[in-house]
Amino acid sequence: MRIYSCDTLNLTASVLVIGAFDGVHRGHQQLIRQAKTQADWMQVPLVVYTFDPPPRVHFQKKLQLASLPVKLERLQRLDVDHTVVAPFDSFYASREAKVFLNEIRNMNPLSIWVGKDFKFGVNRNGDIDTLKQNFHVNSLDLVCCQDGEIISSTRIRHLIANNMTAKAEQLLGWQTVNV
Ligand SMILES: Cc1cc2nc3c(=O)[nH]c(=O)nc-3n(C[C@H](O)[C@H](O)[C@H](O)COP(=O)(O)O)c2cc1C
Ligand SMILES: Nc1ncnc2c1ncn2[C@@H]1O[C@H](COP(=O)(O)OP(=O)(O)OP(=O)(O)O)[C@@H](O)[C@H]1O
């Protein structure tokens, strides 16, 4: 897997997945695996575009589930070809949605995978519909755990804060000692 900073990756074709992916939990893993299957079928590289730190850590000072090296190792294990890491600071967060769209246009995505609630650009001005006006977009139904609750980084943060490590690891699909 090759790693790039934002604004540096140009490709003639790709499949792109975008998100914070804090912890690379089992929901993230399913999203990335679906995208990988499609990328292999299309014979184009799979690109993950992610943020460091995760926007919730930057804005809301939430617990970070995995450091950048750990996140990158997990993405590598999922057979991602290229990962773009945007340094998520106040300057980056002030980018207009259309500037972000221009950046990803340089990767010529044949298909983009995001969750239904995906937002981007200053003040979260861009959404999945904005993305759909410009690209072919796929979204996956949110993956739930055995008890039917949606898996999310937020839920895993709560479990860790309440010392429910075994349950957190079950939703993560990785051991928390690796953070
Ligand atoms: C260019 C850009 C600017 C952003 N600016 C803001 C912002 O001003 N406020 C905010 O809460 N989130 C901002 N975000 C973060 C998004 O709301 C969102 O958390 C991010 O795209 C990751 O998506 P995810 O949370 O679904 O993983 C920005 C994202 C991007 C790509
Ligand atoms: N359970 C899930 N099943 C499928 N896709 C998911 C799941 N959770 C998140 N995603 C998708 O993965 C991408 C990255 O999501 P994100 O990093 O915001 O995860 P999150 O678990 O929702 O985090 P947080 O709880 O901090 O908001 C988004 O496109 C999101 O919709």
Side-chain angles (χ1 to χ4, degrees):
M1 182 176 80
R2 301 192 65 173
I3 298 156
Y4 303 80
S5 186
C6 57
D7 299 316
T8 62
L9 182 58
N10 295 288
L11 293 167
T12 51
S14 65
V15 168
L16 178 62
V17 194
I18 312 169
F21 301 117
D22 190 15
V24 196
H25 61 58
R26 284 180 36 228
H28 298 149
Q29 291 167 37
Q30 284 249 31
L31 186 72
I32 293 167
R33 286 201 178 100
Q34 292 266 0
K36 178 67 183 171
T37 301
Q38 190 188 42
D40 285 349
W41 185 76
M42 291 175 161
Q43 298 187 307
V44 298
L46 174 64
V47 181
V48 168
Y49 189 111
T50 191
F51 309 95
D52 184 59
R56 273 187 204 280
V57 174
H58 171 79
F59 282 114
Q60 299 166 24
K61 307 284 175 259
K62 297 288 183 195
L63 170 77
Q64 189 164 343
L65 295 174
S67 63
L68 180 61
V70 169
K71 172 156 65 174
L72 293 174
E73 191 201 318
R74 291 175 182 180
L75 293 175
Q76 172 141 32
R77 289 215 224 166
L78 293 168
D79 276 340
V80 173
D81 298 295
H82 304 290
T83 295
V84 177
V85 182
F88 200 89
D89 54 17
S90 306
F91 182 67
Y92 181 89
S94 69
R95 281 184 178 203
E96 296 289 343
K98 65 173 190 273
V99 176
F100 181 71
L101 291 176
N102 283 339
E103 181 186 353
I104 58 178
R105 211 165 266 128
N106 290 331
M107 298 169 213
N108 281 297
L110 303 179
S111 164
I112 300 182
W113 289 78
V114 288
K116 294 190 171 72
D117 54 354
F118 178 67
K119 301 274 195 315
F120 61 97
V122 64
N123 300 324
R124 297 165 60 83
N125 277 344
D127 61 13
I128 192 159
D129 290 328
T130 324
L131 214 53
K132 280 181 176 166
Q133 285 158 20
N134 291 272
F135 302 101
H136 182 267
V137 179
N138 294 292
S139 59
L140 183 74
D141 284 337
L142 292 176
V143 177
C144 298
C145 65
Q146 281 164 346
D147 60 22
E149 274 199 70
I150 291 170
I151 300 173
S152 72
S153 302
T154 300
R155 192 166 157 221
I156 296 167
R157 288 184 193 107
H158 286 303
L159 290 169
I160 292 174
N162 290 296
N163 293 317
M164 297 171 76
T165 310
K167 179 76 180 173
E169 287 180 349
Q170 194 190 322
L171 303 193
L172 272 169
W174 315 98
Q175 291 197 324
T176 49
V177 286
N178 294 332
V179 297

